Every structure is written in C-alpha cells, then in structure tokens.
Amino acid sequence: MLESAAHVGLQAPDGPLSLDKFGAESARIGREVADGYHRYHIDTEEVDDVNPLPHRFLVTVGKVGLAKLITKEAMTYFRPWDPHFDVILSRPCTYGVFSGPLGGFIPRPKLCVGCLRCEVQHPEFVKVLPNPELLKMGDSYTTHGHIAAIDEEAKKGMVPVRGQGYRGRFGGPGFDGMLTDMSEIVRPSRDGIHGRELIGTAVDIGSKPMHLSFDSDGKLSGSTPEMFTIQVPFVFDLPPGDLDSPRLAKVVESTSRRIDTLACLDAHTVAKNRLDAPNVVPVLDNAEAFRASEFPRARLIELRSTPDRPWGWDAGGFDLAREVSDAIIGIRIHFEEGWQDRMTKAVESGAKVIHLLADLHGRGSDGTFVTELFKEAHMILLEQGRRDTVTLLGGGGIVGADHVPKAIISGLDAVALDLPVLFALQGRSNGSLRQRAKVTGTLPRELDREWAEQRLTNLCGSWRDQLLEILGAMGIREVRRLRGEFGRSMVVRHLEDEAFEGIAGYVGGGS
Amino acid sequence: MALLQELMDAYEGKIVKPSDALLHKTTTLLQDGMNARAFGEFEKPEALGDARWTDELILSTWYMAETGKVPDELNFKTGESDGGFDRLDFQFLQEDDWLEHSDAIDTKLPLNRRGDGKNEIEIDIPWYGGGMSYGSVSVNVMMSRAKNAKHWNTLMSTGEGGYPPELYEVKENVITQVATGYFGVEEETIQAAPIIEFKYAQGAKPGLGGHLLAAKAGEEVAKLRGSVPFVSLFSPFPFHSTYSVEDHSKHLDWIETVNPKALLSVKVSTPHDVDMVAVGSYYAGAHIIHLDGGYGGTGAAPEIAKKNIAMPIELAIPKVHKFLQKEGVRDKVTLIASGGVRTADDIAKAIALGADGCVLGTTDLVGMGCTRCSNCEGGPSGRGCPWGLTTTDIELQEWVQQDWGSRRLDNLYTALQWRLRDILRKLGLSNVRELRGRTDLLSYISKEAGE
C-alpha cells in the first residue's frame, strides 16, 4: 500500500504503519489521489452570436387577414360576463413568433422552428418560407446544412439533438455513403450510465518502433518511441485561401493550447507574431527548410512542396530540417498524381508524420474521394510493415462531426480541420469552396479573441462528444483502436449490392 | 381586477389547461387547416417536407387520415430520398390479370410460429404500432393509437415509460416494452400483455440509450416511471445485465416465468451482424424479431446517430431473411421491420424483401398532424410538440383528443389496407403472406431511369 503511495508521489507517514492507522491513512491517500485527479474534458459554454446566420424561416402575416380574424373572434367569443380573453388572444405559436408587443402584426421569424402550425391553422394569411439567404450559403459540398450545424455546435458546444427521424437522402456520395457500426451488447465499459464516460480520444503524433530491442545487459537499445500525444484526433490546419491572418492565427493557437491539440500555421505568421509553442506546427516551404531552427519550441514542423516541384520528393529539404531542429518533421502531401510514391519516399527517408491533403470537396486530383485515398495510404504503409512508425494526418472535405470518425476508420490517425474554423467563427464564404488556394471569405470584423476561442472550443467539444457517441455505439474504448477499422463501417453501395442483387433493374455500384 | 388578470394571463400566454372554448377553437382551426391543405384548397406549404417525408407524403397521409381513401392528386407511395424504398417498385401483372379488389384479399399475420402453446395471436393487418413511451407522447396520443389497435385487431407497444392505467381498457392489444431503464416494468404490466417486447436498441440512436429531458418528465410521467418529477431520465445502453446471448436467453426466461403465455419480441437495431443477432434471438426463444432500421423515428436523438449509425431497414431485411432461411428457422419466427416504413407501398416492399410485417410509428403521428418539424424533444419552447403529439404539456396535449385521434388512425389504416390489397391484387396474390421474400416481384428504378 505504501509502495503504491510512493509510486503516485505521495508522502508516506513516518514510521511503520499500524493496523489502526491503516484506514485513516488509506483515506488520506485516496483523498490526495482524488484531489490530483484530472480527467480530460473540454469546457464548453454557450456564447452569443456576433454575425448570426440568416434564420431558417421567413414568416409573413397578412395584416388585413389578421385584423379580420381578431375582430371576428372578438365578436364571436367576447361576453362581458365571460370575455374569453384566452381564446381571443391565443396565438398559434409556442415559440413566441407572435408574442411580440404587436403580436402577429410584427412577427419574429428568428424564433420560428418551422412547425407550420400557424400556416396550417390560418392558411388564408400566414405563410412560412424557407429563408433563401440561408439556402444559398456554402456550395455544393459544404452545404448550408453543414454550415448551420457547425454554427450551432460552435455556439452551444453541445451535441445537436432533435426529434423525429433522419430527414435526408438515402446514403449518398462521399462520407454519406459510409455508415458506422454498432453493437447490441458490447459497450466501451460497464462503468457509468452509457459506458461512454471512459472513452479515450487521445492520439499519438509521431512514430512508435515496431519492436523494442534490448542489449545483453537488459537495457533498451535500438529505436525508441518518437512521439507525443494530443487529446483529440483533430488538429487545426492552415486556413485556406485568403483567410490566413495574424488575428485568426492567434485564436487558433490559443484554442489548440486550451484543448491540447495542434494548430498548423504558416511559419512566417508564427515567426512574425511570436507564436512558437509546443502546440503550434509551423508550416514551411521545402525551400525554407533551414528555417526550422527558428521554432525551438515546436514539437512538429511540417514541410510543404515548393511550387516548382509539386509532385516530387525533395529529400534535401527534409534532411536539412531534421538537422537543424529537434522537432518531428512532417511532410504535407497533396493527393496529386504520384502521391503514393512521394509518401513512400518520405517515409523511407525517415518522415514520421505524413499530412495528406485533398481538395476541400474531399477529392484527389483524379476525383477519388478521401475515404478511398486515406484507405489506400493506410494500406500502403500497412503492407510495408511501417504503419505504426508513421502518423497519418489528413484533411479535405471534413465539414461535419461524422466525417471525423469516418476519416479515422478510413485509416487516418487524426483529422485536419480547415473550413469548419471559418464557419465556427461565423465567417462567410464567397463562391466555390473547392480549391484551397482560391477560397475567399470574411471573418467578423471584430474578432474578439475570447469569443472566438470559446466558439472554436465549443466546436471541438461538440465534435469530440459526437465522436464519443459513435465510439460508444461500437463499444470501442479509445479512438486509436478505430484507425483503419474498415470492418466497423458499412458502405451503402456494398450493402445495396447484397440486399438488392437479383432485383430487376438493379445493376449495382450505386446505379 | 380578475378580468384584468385574465387579460394579462392571456396576453402573456400563461400555460394552463385550455378552456372548452379555446379547445374548440384551436382543434377546429387545426383540423380544418389540415383538411384544407390535404384537399388542395391551399397550395402546399413551402417549408413542409423533407427527402424522406415529402410534402406530398405528409399531405397524402393527412388526406387518408381524414377520408379513409388514397388521394388522386398526391404521391402517397414514395418519398424522394433517392434510395431504398424510394427506388424500389413493383412488377405488376398486365391489367387483365389483376384480381378483383376485395376484402377477400387476406392481410392477416400470425405472430406465433413456434407452435409452443403460447398465445396464438393473429393480427388483421401486417403491421402494428411502434413503441412511444408515456412522457414522449401524451396519454391522449397513446390511447388514440391503442384504441385504433383494438379496432383493427392489431397491437401497439407502450415504449419504455410505463403503463398508464387507461391502457388496461385495451390491454389485449398493448405490448409491454421492457427496455434498459426498466421504466414502468412491473409484474402487472407484464402479466397484462399478450406480447412482451425487449428493446435492445432503437434504430434512430443505436447503441446510445435514451434520454427523457427533465421538462418532459412531469408529475404523472415520473409517477409511472418511479422517478422524481422534472429530473431527466436515462435509459442506458445496453442492458447492464446482458453480456451474451445466454444472458439474453435469461431475460426471456424471466418473462416466461412471470407471464408463461406471452409471446416474446426482441427489438434490435441493424449493425453489420444483425443476421447473427436475429438468429441468436431466435434460439434464445424469441417469437418475433423486430429490426429497427437506422432511419427510424425518435422523440430525441443525436443528429449524428440518425444518419450514420447502423443500416437502413431496406438493407437489413434481406440480410436477416436470407440468413434465417439458411439456418432453417425462417418459418419458425416472425420478422418485423420498422424504422423508415412510411406507407402501404413501403410495407409491401418490406415484405417482398423478406419481412413478415412492419411496425409504424411516425406514420401514426403524421396521421394525427405531425409535420416532422423535429421539435418533439421540447424545442426552444421546452414544451414539446406544438401539435400536441409528443408532449405532456397540460395545454398542448389537449389538441389531440382521443376520439379524434383514433378516428384519424382508423381512416388512415383503412386507406393503407386498401392500398396494400391493391398492390397484392395487381401482383396476382390473394394473401399478404405469399408476398414474403418475393424480390422477383420488385424492380429497381436506376438513377438513369429515374431521371
């Protein structure tokens, strides 16, 4: 007992421990352990809107029709001895759309949830319409639905919960074509209400040796783990397009520190704003690899291709960066032609972190979706017997909480977030959101740092909690075990082939 | 002063049980408004509907619930989800070969196929009402459904929220659900039921358990669940007493001891090994295997779960049907499908894919006015459904009166049965049981053809 007390760093009592002191001493140790206990958790807190989304619905009320109704009801129901105010003043909305000072004459559409009771009850003069301003947000991949979900998650930090069943299309392209599995009996642990309480979301960044070697004296020889741990399987990636700015970099940096993850930031921004920190990943052009020494606190530095060698592998830059820095040097690889070869060469050269990048619709240059690309990358390393020696980060097309576990199932260790940051901070985009370099958007003019940090923290808290839901349903206790677990996913196309095979007209392959 | 106070209360919208005058006004307006929309007197509300339940599907359900007939002008058969039931169609015979539409087309479904001396239950239509707990819905909604179930010689499940005393009036048609929180599970409620349903998981939130928000756990709800009023309630996942199929068997043995005649139904979700789960349930003693697909309804569920966890019912049915056949036990167990079954066409397609029958939930609610606005769990008002369906709010729950609700469902079921018979006769079948597993009678509308 005392050994274990010492083991956890507690003060052992003077002298031998007698039986009568045992209980009190045990309690003291228990208390100290409890006081020193820390369970990872993201503290979320609802924050106000600075640049609210257009509300979901528009509500129009015909003033003449309403006046006629009130008059008619007053004449029908009012009696001096029993005025029936409850009837005359009753409103067909429980959400307060018609509860402003002037009732239905000046409705409050921002409170409308689209139940349509008012429109059904008074079809002559009430109309509820989907708000076109909201519908036109985003683009064909990152839809207004994604943006609204991110906005809600960043505002409240909670898992979006609603009544009624699923409202969308059956399966679909990209991530929508993948379902996650569940177990009827197994759960992560038998502790707690749902067993989700003890699920771990920490992931390791870097390299684990495939085996340990010992010398004749029993001492460890050979390679040792070269890695560190972050608490969530997602990191912030470089802001796409024209969104990069010092004020955004500062918010992303402080948020990543707060939730114990990483923020990939342009190395020049890091240097200029003195943001070098263990949670910051400076991203350098390969040609500037020598500058890696300028970031002594960084645990991970990423190199990206120089523009003149987009598909090649420049071992020189990598070697130089490794020489001048103690940080793990990661390589950013776009899913362009020949990426497999480039990744293999990078790993053979000693790269411990590969950061894979698709376009923001989740497609490689040949149109393949990231679930397939991540899987291919994972399988290449697996077949080479190197998978645990490399961390795979990946990004592109990750705009919903469900995309995180699906990307990890596809083979990633952790996911990189790009566009969600923009929408979590109530920024607005213009035009297509496909090409990273061409994204244009605006952030709120007054980007209050505290507000912005809480919004991003809320988003991360919500996405982590939703990841816990997925893991809990599967009975998986830590996210590390989800990596590459294709068997815990179901592909709608394959299920359809199995279910509809032989039915006239079904030709398979998502026809 | 009293008048002034009354005026102020009315202006502020104080929540009280509605007066008769208010009840009359509101229900009349709602019911007339639904009919006006369903009968096409006004254009379709632009904000109504979604890919699974389109505006036409909702309005046609209202039409059927009012008239007992299928509409001519509205699509009452399919949604626009671009897959599953919405891409399946029937290969009808040439019109000359159609059977006459008549009551002689048999829609009965026997539920006990084990020949084990337990209740021999045969329902008149191949579907029954899914579990919606007291608390998630009001007594008025529960009783509307239960009375209709009695009228149609079918069944309705309590869901996990206890057994309101009113239900004893129709207990022969009420399934008692035993779920992981054991809310309302008592010796009397097990002994009262012809069927006991073990809910392992729910399609809309597979593997996640349930959560009744505090606002909906009022005095009456708490009393039936043996809990403290206005404290939120968790129904954990999974059964904390079940680690294996042997433990599952133990559960069923327990029920058999308390009610030796009751049939045993096992409600499960649709993971990749749902076929193994089904066979395991059969060998544990289940009479009914109830699959609840991923697109099923709920009073509250994380959005991430509804869309992503487990498979849609259309894909699970054939998997389980074929595996039960392979194991040689298909004719000894009743396979029931739910979770996204909306229409008579969906029911027929589910049966053609391999189910014996279906469970309806959302369809019943839509019949009573639901617009699928997704605020069942309380919404921003915290009061629950503004239509009076998924709420125990003392005012809102009055918008659905039992006689009206059961009449609507009666009409709806009349139309559904009519359409089911219509499908059967056009396929040349005189008995719904002949349709099971007949995928040769289905066709798939490819995207090219559909477009």
Side-chain angles (χ1 to χ4, degrees):
Chain A
M1 196 274 295
L2 290 178
E3 275 182 9
S4 55
H7 180 71
V8 295
L10 299 177
Q11 186 67 45
D14 295 334
L17 188 63
S18 61
L19 196 59
D20 61 321
K21 290 181 183 168
F22 183 87
E25 184 57 17
S26 178
R28 182 186 73 76
I29 292 171
R31 229 175 10 253
E32 285 192 28
V33 169
D35 289 346
Y37 172 80
H38 173 69
R39 177 86 192 157
Y40 179 75
H41 177 71
I42 297 177
D43 286 319
T44 60
E45 183 184 327
E46 185 164 343
V47 288
D48 293 334
D49 291 322
V50 164
N51 184 25
L53 290 181
H55 33 80
R56 289 170 63 202
F57 300 101
L58 303 176
V59 181
T60 62
V61 178
K63 307 289 186 287
V64 176
L66 177 59
K68 279 184 185 170
L69 176 81
I70 293 171
T71 308
K72 181 182 163 195
E73 292 197 337
M75 292 172 69
T76 306
Y77 291 103
F78 185 82
R79 302 283 180 278
W81 60 91
D82 188 4
H84 285 120
F85 291 131
D86 62 329
V87 184
I88 297 164
L89 294 177
S90 71
R91 306 169 185 98
C93 182
T94 59
Y95 303 102
V97 173
F98 308 119
S99 297
L102 292 173
F105 289 101
I106 302 182
R108 301 187 290 184
K110 70 176 182 182
L111 299 175
C112 179
V113 301
C115 77
L116 304 182
R117 199 183 123 187
C118 58
E119 189 174 358
V120 169
Q121 213 170 303
H122 302 291
E124 307 88 353
F125 58 88
V126 181
K127 211 166 177 48
V128 177
L129 303 165
N131 189 344
E133 289 300 310
L134 179 66
L135 299 182
K136 72 182 184 191
M137 294 190 76
D139 71 357
S140 61
Y141 182 87
T142 304
T143 65
H144 65 90
H146 292 120
I147 295 169
I150 290 170
D151 188 75
E152 179 186 351
E153 289 157 345
K155 178 181 174 70
K156 298 179 179 172
M158 295 170 73
V159 176
V161 171
R162 304 243 193 292
Q164 277 299 354
Y166 175 57
R167 299 163 62 88
R169 61 183 290 172
F170 189 98
F175 286 116
D176 289 346
M178 181 192 275
L179 304 169
T180 60
D181 200 18
M182 59 83 66
S183 167
E184 304 287 350
I185 293 177
V186 179
R187 64 186 202 146
S189 104
R190 292 273 160 178
D191 300 316
I193 295 172
H194 300 297
R196 292 198 285 273
E197 294 80 354
L198 296 176
I199 296 174
T201 57
V203 289
D204 303 319
I205 305 294
S207 176
K208 290 176 210 164
M210 299 305 286
H211 61 272
L212 294 177
S213 304
F214 298 89
D215 63 19
S216 56
D217 296 329
K219 290 181 181 167
L220 199 59
S221 65
S223 56
T224 54
E226 190 184 337
M227 63 185 195
F228 59 90
T229 302
I230 56 174
Q231 290 299 323
V232 285
F234 40 82
V235 303
F236 296 112
D237 205 356
L238 288 176
D242 69 355
L243 296 170
D244 198 4
S245 69
R247 59 180 186 151
L248 179 59
K250 286 173 188 169
V251 169
V252 171
E253 184 279 317
S254 59
T255 309
S256 68
R257 182 159 24 93
R258 181 166 161 182
I259 65 171
D260 195 359
T261 185
L262 299 170
C264 300
L265 297 171
D266 182 85
H268 296 93
T269 307
V270 176
K272 199 170 173 183
N273 296 279
R274 298 169 191 269
L275 294 175
D276 182 31
N279 55 296
V280 169
V281 181
V283 178
L284 279 164
D285 286 344
N286 219 8
E288 294 184 306
F290 62 89
R291 292 189 57 194
S293 62
E294 293 174 25
F295 309 102
R297 300 185 67 203
R299 291 178 292 176
L300 171 65
I301 294 172
E302 289 189 349
L303 296 181
R304 60 184 162 198
S305 308
T306 42
D308 58 328
R309 302 192 63 181
W311 303 297
W313 163 242
D314 180 0
F318 177 70
D319 291 341
L320 181 58
R322 283 222 297 184
E323 203 177 300
V324 299
S325 172
D326 291 333
I328 297 170
I329 306 299
I331 305 295
R332 294 170 74 89
I333 297 177
H334 289 263
F335 284 119
E336 305 276 1
E337 188 182 351
W339 66 267
Q340 299 93 333
D341 183 48
R342 188 156 189 258
M343 181 181 79
T344 299
K345 283 181 176 161
V347 173
E348 283 171 350
S349 299
K352 312 295 185 197
V353 174
I354 301 291
H355 187 146
L356 300 163
L357 293 150
D359 69 28
L360 297 176
H361 284 193
R363 302 277 170 187
S365 61
D366 64 354
T368 307
F369 193 67
V370 279
T371 45
E372 291 302 315
L373 295 168
F374 294 154
K375 185 176 177 180
E376 188 179 350
H378 172 77
M379 292 306 295
I380 288 171
L381 294 173
L382 208 60
E383 283 160 14
Q384 292 172 351
R386 294 181 172 132
R387 183 60 186 91
D388 280 337
T389 67
V390 182
T391 295
L392 285 183
L393 303 178
I398 310 289
V399 291
D402 59 307
H403 299 170
V404 174
K406 288 176 179 177
I408 294 171
I409 286 172
S410 300
L412 292 186
D413 291 279
V415 171
L417 308 182
D418 33 53
L419 283 177
V421 173
L422 168 68
F423 297 116
L425 298 179
Q426 300 198 307
R428 297 288 183 265
S429 62
N430 308 308
S432 169
L433 294 170
R434 181 160 195 163
Q435 302 298 329
R436 285 175 188 277
K438 293 181 180 171
V439 168
T440 58
T442 49
L443 288 165
R445 189 167 298 175
E446 299 297 326
L447 192 65
D448 177 77
R449 183 145 165 196
E450 210 170 297
W451 175 87
E453 188 180 311
Q454 190 60 54
R455 294 273 307 187
L456 288 186
T457 301
N458 286 349
L459 180 74
C460 293
S462 173
W463 281 26
R464 180 176 183 266
D465 284 348
Q466 291 179 75
L467 176 63
L468 296 184
E469 300 275 4
I470 296 282
L471 291 168
M474 287 184 194
I476 290 183
R477 193 164 167 163
E478 60 173 342
V479 75
R480 283 182 280 219
R481 293 188 191 177
L482 191 65
R483 185 189 76 190
E485 280 283 352
F486 314 131
R488 302 313 304 274
S489 69
M490 297 175 279
V491 177
V492 172
R493 193 159 36 87
H494 299 164
L495 294 172
E496 284 181 324
D497 288 347
E498 190 184 339
F500 300 151
E501 183 190 11
I503 292 178
Y506 184 76
V507 293
S511 61
Chain B
M1 281 304 288
L3 270 183
L4 186 61
Q5 185 61 49
E6 196 178 323
L7 179 63
M8 289 305 296
D9 286 349
Y11 181 75
E12 287 166 7
K14 187 177 179 185
I15 300 165
V16 292
K17 188 170 175 162
S19 65
D20 289 345
L22 180 58
L23 182 64
H24 178 262
K25 172 194 153 180
T26 305
T27 54
T28 303
L29 282 171
L30 280 173
Q31 292 162 18
D32 289 352
M34 272 191 265
N35 290 340
R37 296 292 185 181
F39 296 153
E41 292 165 21
F42 291 90
E43 60 195 24
K44 288 175 263 184
E46 285 187 41
L48 182 66
D50 53 69
R52 292 202 59 77
W53 276 88
T54 60
D55 51 1
E56 294 213 6
L57 216 45
I58 292 173
L59 293 175
S60 64
T61 305
W62 288 1
Y63 183 95
M64 291 187 279
E66 183 62 23
T67 65
K69 295 174 181 168
V70 297
D72 294 328
E73 306 291 330
L74 299 164
N75 178 357
F76 59 90
K77 301 171 186 170
T78 53
E80 294 173 357
S81 71
D82 201 25
F85 291 138
D86 292 341
R87 283 212 169 269
L88 291 174
D89 202 353
F90 300 100
Q91 297 197 68
F92 290 137
L93 301 172
Q94 295 294 321
E95 194 166 346
D96 292 347
D97 297 326
W98 291 356
L99 306 178
E100 282 295 310
H101 198 303
S102 86
D103 293 351
I105 296 175
D106 187 353
T107 58
K108 287 186 166 59
L109 178 67
L111 298 178
N112 183 0
R113 292 153 194 254
R114 295 185 83 106
D116 58 0
K118 293 179 187 290
N119 291 329
E120 290 295 336
I121 298 172
E122 185 174 68
I123 52 179
D124 286 353
I125 42 178
W127 71 85
Y128 55 86
M132 292 183 208
S133 66
Y134 176 54
S136 74
V137 295
S138 67
V139 163
N140 283 350
V141 169
M142 262 188 136
M143 286 307 293
S144 297
R145 299 180 76 218
K147 284 178 178 175
N148 181 57
K150 184 179 177 67
H151 181 71
W152 276 88
N153 184 34
T154 185
L155 300 148
M156 182 209 73
S157 169
T158 57
E160 188 198 22
Y163 205 98
E166 291 91 332
L167 282 182
Y168 281 101
E169 179 189 330
V170 287
K171 64 183 167 58
E172 292 81 8
N173 301 87
V174 175
I175 297 171
T176 295
Q177 186 180 88
V178 179
T180 54
Y182 297 95
F183 295 125
V185 176
E186 293 168 7
E187 199 166 301
E188 302 83 64
T189 60
I190 291 173
Q191 287 173 339
I195 299 175
I196 306 297
E197 175 179 278
F198 268 95
K199 186 182 90 171
Y200 273 79
Q202 185 178 337
K205 43 186 172 183
L208 303 185
H211 182 188
L212 186 71
L213 300 181
K216 291 180 81 174
E219 300 276 355
E220 284 302 312
V221 174
K223 186 174 153 191
L224 283 178
R225 296 187 181 214
S227 66
V228 178
F230 300 106
V231 171
S232 64
L233 296 173
F234 288 98
S235 195
F237 178 83
F239 278 108
H240 285 199
S241 50
T242 304
Y243 289 75
S244 63
V245 73
E246 288 78 14
D247 288 336
H248 170 49
S249 179
K250 178 190 70 187
H251 270 165
L252 302 188
D253 288 348
W254 158 51
I255 294 298
E256 190 171 17
T257 306
V258 181
N259 183 349
K261 296 291 280 182
L263 301 190
L264 302 170
S265 171
V266 177
K267 178 179 177 179
V268 294
S269 184
T270 51
H272 81 279
D273 61 348
V274 60
D275 45 359
M276 299 293 288
V277 171
V279 169
S281 294
Y282 166 74
Y283 283 113
H287 299 84
I288 298 169
I289 293 163
H290 174 176
L291 309 177
D292 196 25
Y295 294 165
T298 173
E303 291 287 276
I304 192 171
K306 291 180 196 171
K307 180 182 171 189
N308 298 295
I309 306 178
M311 67 177 91
I313 193 65
E314 297 95 317
L315 306 180
I317 296 167
K319 188 178 176 76
V320 172
H321 171 68
K322 288 176 199 166
F323 198 64
L324 290 170
Q325 277 181 326
K326 198 173 156 193
E327 288 286 307
V329 299
R330 182 63 190 91
D331 290 329
K332 295 177 182 172
V333 67
T334 302
L335 183 61
I336 295 291
S338 69
V341 180
R342 304 153 296 182
T343 63
D345 286 62
D346 286 356
I347 292 169
K349 289 168 190 172
I351 294 171
L353 286 170
D356 290 293
C358 292
V359 155
L360 299 182
T362 301
T363 305
D364 285 1
L365 294 184
V366 173
M368 290 187 280
C370 171
T371 52
R372 279 177 54 87
C373 71
S374 301
N375 295 291
C376 323
E377 89 293 0
S381 73
R383 296 174 63 191
C385 172
W387 295 78
L389 295 160
T390 57
T391 181
T392 51
D393 180 277
I394 56 171
E395 181 191 50
L396 299 176
Q397 67 177 351
E398 298 300 326
W399 306 152
V400 176
Q401 293 292 303
Q402 291 180 26
D403 288 346
W404 177 81
S406 55
R407 195 170 62 245
R408 294 275 293 187
L409 294 178
D410 180 18
N411 287 336
L412 176 60
Y413 281 26
T414 301
L416 293 177
Q417 190 191 39
W418 185 92
R419 172 60 184 164
L420 180 60
R421 283 183 166 142
D422 192 44
I423 293 167
L424 292 171
R425 79 187 183 94
K426 288 173 178 170
L427 293 169
L429 304 177
S430 59
N431 186 323
V432 72
R433 296 183 295 283
E434 294 171 12
L435 180 61
R436 189 184 79 188
R438 294 290 304 275
T439 50
D440 59 308
L441 300 178
L442 293 172
S443 63
Y444 190 88
I445 309 163
S446 69
K447 289 184 180 166
E448 292 72 26
E451 285 151 10

